[in-house]
Amino acid sequence: MSSIDQTIEFYQNQGALLGIGSNQIVSFTNFQASVTGEAAVDDTNNDDQWDFGETATINGDSASLTATGTAAFGVTISVPPLVNLTINLSSPVPVGVFEVDGTQYVRYYNADGTDADPAALLDGLTNQVISALGPLLGPVQAIIGPIAAYVENNTLLNFDLNNADGMQFTCFTLGTLILTDCGERPIETLAVGDRVLTVDHGLQPIRWIGRRTLSPDELDRAANLVPVRIAAGALGSDLPRRTLTVSPQHRCLVRSTIAERMFGAREVLVAAKHLLDLPGVSLAPAPAPVTYLHLLFDRHELVCSNGLISESFYTGDQALTAVGQAARAEILALFPELASGLPTAARCPARTFLRGRVARKLVERSVRNQKPLVESPQLTGPERQRFKV
């Protein structure tokens, strides 16, 4: 078990307490008491997330995570007969709700896990209102006052909260080319039993394939599941060889001297969402449904995906929860030892997982020093030589 230690910014709820459920509409003015604190979480499943049931403290005081979900920012301006309009931010903001000594707090955060700034969100909403009003801006302001102040005092938050661990998919999208004993094949054409070339253990049979399709509406409500697009060459020379799109939590292999200096390991695994500060890596909001696919082997493996080395499905507790009850039952039927929650070969990470803050620092140093995240390989063995990385 490891610990997550992070400085975070959060906001005291000075209105009615939030509970589990959707369409909870609360005035933004109830969340303007900003607090900065040191969060320490006993990360029992080593997934770099504060999950329900994990022990945590904020500034040394016991803290309990009570809900996660999203908050949609919106404001209505009604000035008859001039205007009657409602403006909403284009995407809901991920939030976490927790309690410290009986006081409820809300944290807003970005897709990469960093703090989201409510002031910046309000600025964005204000700009949308100004644009929507157009030539009516002057007459409306003459009645209701400055738009920025009106937005700050009248914005409503629509919370959609649950008490299930946040879905954390580590998976590929349709069209990803996986290197197999028959060459590269689109992932959607693979079947259980097909043999995939792995970095550490040569050709390995697929034991299970998971699949889930998310609609644009579902992705709007779950910003933590919006795919990440990694452009060709973004991580190194010809790496990946073609654009690779994966889930935000999907980990890619980083191999560099900077990683070795920082962590004592030349090869580490970094989630795609922590690569977003790298040129050529970006979120990929989808106008159409997105299908995620998982590949499970006897152990956590590294495979070749569009020419880039990245991970197979990792059977941590959070991942097993995220795939749903039916899929979890299928996996436990194959690997009953996972039900115990104890360390097993299947739960042994192929490489060290880097957490959010240190992963982003690695990216920052690499960009600053103009060094690729994947340098020339220092691999041995005939199977590894087949990976052109």
Side-chain angles (χ1 to χ4, degrees):
M1 179 178 69
S2 58
S3 176
I4 302 172
D5 299 292
Q6 185 178 8
T7 301
I8 62 173
E9 187 171 13
F10 46 97
Y11 298 81
Q12 181 179 345
N13 181 1
Q14 297 177 318
L17 294 182
L18 294 165
I20 303 303
S22 58
N23 203 34
Q24 300 179 76
I25 299 176
V26 185
S27 173
F28 176 74
T29 57
N30 292 336
F31 300 94
Q32 293 187 331
S34 172
V35 182
T36 299
E38 298 298 323
V41 179
D42 290 334
D43 189 20
T44 57
N45 59 1
N46 298 314
D47 66 350
D48 198 21
Q49 305 284 336
W50 183 6
D51 303 321
F52 294 99
E54 290 182 333
T55 302
T57 61
I58 305 290
N59 290 335
D61 296 321
S62 179
S64 175
L65 181 66
T66 58
T68 59
T70 59
F73 283 62
V75 66
T76 296
I77 298 180
S78 181
V79 184
L82 291 176
V83 68
N84 184 12
L85 60 84
T86 297
I87 301 293
N88 296 298
L89 279 179
S90 56
S91 297
V93 180
V95 297
V97 180
F98 58 91
E99 292 185 3
V100 179
D101 290 335
T103 300
Q104 189 177 74
Y105 298 90
V106 171
R107 181 190 177 208
Y108 310 96
Y109 54 94
N110 299 307
D112 63 358
T114 58
D115 289 320
D117 182 5
L121 297 172
L122 286 185
D123 286 344
L125 190 59
T126 298
N127 290 335
Q128 287 183 236
V129 170
I130 291 173
S131 177
L133 287 174
L136 294 176
L137 176 62
V140 169
Q141 285 194 127
I143 297 172
I144 66 174
I147 291 298
Y150 181 91
V151 169
E152 181 175 347
N153 293 323
N154 292 275
T155 289
L156 297 178
L157 303 182
N158 188 334
F159 286 90
D160 184 355
L161 302 175
N162 62 72
N163 61 355
D165 283 326
M167 293 179 289
Q168 302 295 319
F169 297 131
T170 56
C171 41
F172 303 98
T173 57
L174 292 176
T176 301
L177 297 179
I178 303 296
L179 188 57
T180 74
D181 60 347
C182 299
E184 288 187 320
R185 292 176 53 187
I187 189 171
E188 62 270 23
T189 69
L190 298 178
V192 171
D194 286 345
R195 297 196 303 166
V196 171
L197 188 61
T198 70
V199 170
D200 297 318
H201 302 102
L203 292 169
Q204 291 293 313
I206 299 172
R207 297 296 304 279
W208 176 83
I209 296 176
R211 184 184 183 112
R212 176 166 181 181
T213 299
L214 299 174
S215 69
D217 286 344
E218 288 176 305
L219 291 170
D220 281 343
R221 294 193 300 269
N224 61 312
L225 298 181
V226 173
V228 173
R229 181 186 296 115
I230 303 173
L235 270 64
S237 178
D238 207 26
L239 296 171
R241 288 200 303 275
R242 53 179 286 182
T243 296
L244 175 67
T245 303
V246 295
S247 65
Q249 297 80 20
H250 190 89
R251 301 177 187 93
C252 300
L253 184 71
V254 169
R255 183 193 306 114
S256 73
T257 303
I258 293 177
E260 188 170 23
R261 289 172 180 168
M262 292 179 67
F263 313 112
R266 186 172 177 81
E267 296 183 347
V268 293
L269 286 169
V270 177
K273 64 181 180 180
H274 300 317
L275 302 174
L276 288 171
D277 288 335
L278 193 68
V281 180
S282 62
L283 291 175
V290 172
T291 297
Y292 284 128
L293 296 104
H294 321 273
L295 297 181
L296 177 63
F297 301 90
D298 284 327
R299 57 180 72 82
H300 190 224
E301 299 284 8
L302 300 177
V303 302
C304 186
S305 49
N306 285 7
L308 183 72
I309 303 300
S310 65
E311 68 173 336
S312 66
F313 184 73
Y314 178 66
T315 51
D317 290 334
Q318 179 132 352
L320 290 178
T321 300
V323 295
Q325 185 174 356
R328 185 175 187 272
E330 293 175 4
I331 294 172
L332 292 181
L334 292 170
F335 304 97
E337 66 273 17
L338 293 175
S340 68
L342 298 175
T344 67
R347 288 184 183 233
C348 182
R351 298 292 186 276
T352 298
F353 295 165
L354 291 193
R355 305 188 177 284
R357 182 169 53 182
V358 295
R360 291 189 292 273
K361 187 173 293 185
L362 170 61
V363 171
E364 177 189 343
R365 286 185 58 177
S366 300
V367 172
R368 185 171 66 246
N369 289 283
Q370 298 182 329
K371 297 292 185 181
L373 284 184
V374 182
E375 296 176 354
S376 298
Q378 293 185 350
L379 304 177
T380 59
E383 296 293 354
R384 290 190 177 192
Q385 293 303 322
R386 292 180 61 186
F387 288 92
K388 298 178 179 179
V389 296

